[in-house]
């Protein structure tokens, strides 16, 4: 015991090596990818996309619960597929924002205030009305995604993620449209 006590005191008095120092502070600017201007454009596009994807997920889920009519089962299952397919992209968009050193905001109140789309009414909805509602909103998000892709041309990683999100949204838009023919 007497031998180790002076060593412990000596160790406590020594400065910590770089790898053991306090890491609760923000990463130095040089450890974050891209320039501040590029990150700002990208994180704005990502945050707007995050709001839209969360709103889309909730809209499809709302319609999933409240669809009625002769095509109930088909619509119920289809709407579940829509919102389930959006979930991994919601996570990827939020995590890309964090990789650029900016917090992701998915709070329901913020989504409600900032999403590009309307929310469905909490009422029973015929399948065709639900399809029309979702189709209009998916088209709005698709258009906005193409604008965000153009805006992020200096951040190819974010642009690539937005392209992947757009591919999914456009596929779902086509599936919605196919129900109207």
């Amino acid at each position: 015991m007497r031998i180790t006590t002076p060593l412990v005191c000596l160790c406590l008095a020594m400065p910590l090596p770089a790898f053991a120092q306090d890491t609760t502070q923000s990463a130095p600017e040089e450890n974050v990818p891209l320039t501040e201007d590029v990150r700002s454009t990208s994180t704005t596009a990502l945050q707007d996309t995050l709001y839209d994807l969360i709103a889309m997920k909730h809209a499809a889920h709302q319609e999933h619960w409240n669809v009625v009519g002769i095509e109930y089962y088909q619509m119920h299952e289809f709407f579940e597929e829509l919102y389930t397919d959006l979930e991994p992209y919601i996570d990827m968009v939020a995590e890309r924002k964090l990789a650029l050193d900016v917090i992701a905001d998915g709070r329901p109140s913020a989504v409600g205030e900032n999403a590009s789309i309307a929310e469905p009414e909490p009422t029973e909805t015929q399948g065709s009305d639900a399809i029309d509602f979702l189709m209009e909103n998916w088209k709005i998000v698709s258009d906005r995604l193409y604008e965000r892709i153009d805006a992020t041309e200096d951040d190819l990683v974010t642009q690539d993620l937005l392209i992947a999100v757009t591919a999914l949204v456009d596929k779902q838009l086509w599936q919605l449209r196919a129900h109207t023919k």
Side-chain angles (χ1 to χ4, degrees):
M1 282 283 226
R2 289 186 181 170
I3 296 174
T4 58
T5 303
L7 290 175
V8 168
C9 291
L10 179 62
C11 289
L12 291 175
M14 294 174 58
L16 291 171
F19 67 86
Q21 293 177 3
D22 181 17
T23 59
T24 58
Q25 298 175 359
S26 293
E29 193 69 22
E30 68 269 6
N31 292 331
V32 180
L34 307 169
T35 65
E36 178 62 35
D37 290 344
V38 172
R39 279 196 318 272
S40 177
T41 299
S42 291
T43 57
T44 297
L46 289 164
Q47 185 60 61
D48 291 343
T49 301
L50 186 60
Y51 289 141
D52 286 346
L53 291 176
I54 293 170
M56 292 168 72
K57 176 184 180 254
H58 288 288
H61 213 155
Q62 185 73 22
E63 299 296 6
H64 164 81
W65 287 326
N66 295 307
V67 67
V68 295
I70 190 76
E71 296 177 323
Y72 159 77
Y73 189 78
Q74 177 194 7
M75 295 292 104
H76 181 78
E77 293 295 310
F78 175 55
F79 297 150
E80 182 176 2
E81 183 180 314
L82 290 178
Y83 70 76
T84 301
D85 287 352
L86 290 168
E87 289 174 350
Y89 290 93
I90 291 169
D91 198 50
M92 286 187 278
V93 167
E95 289 178 354
R96 177 62 184 160
K97 204 171 168 216
L98 293 166
L100 296 176
D101 203 33
V102 178
I103 298 298
D105 184 8
R107 297 169 300 143
S109 60
V111 171
E113 291 174 17
N114 296 294
S116 301
I117 66 171
E119 27 176 65
E121 293 298 321
T123 61
E124 288 184 342
T125 308
Q126 291 294 318
S128 61
D129 293 336
I131 291 288
D132 289 343
F133 174 81
L134 294 176
M135 192 168 42
E136 288 174 25
N137 285 288
W138 262 237
K139 175 66 167 106
I140 290 168
V141 173
S142 175
D143 291 345
R144 299 250 162 61
L145 282 165
Y146 282 99
E147 293 168 7
R148 294 173 194 150
I149 289 168
D150 289 342
T152 57
E153 66 185 359
D154 293 331
D155 175 359
L156 297 179
V157 175
T158 296
Q159 189 179 57
D160 186 55
L161 176 56
L162 294 175
I163 290 168
V165 170
T166 305
L168 173 67
V169 171
D170 285 356
K171 175 187 174 192
Q172 291 182 336
L173 182 57
W174 156 67
Q175 291 173 327
L176 288 161
R177 210 172 45 248
H179 280 86
T180 65
K181 294 184 179 196

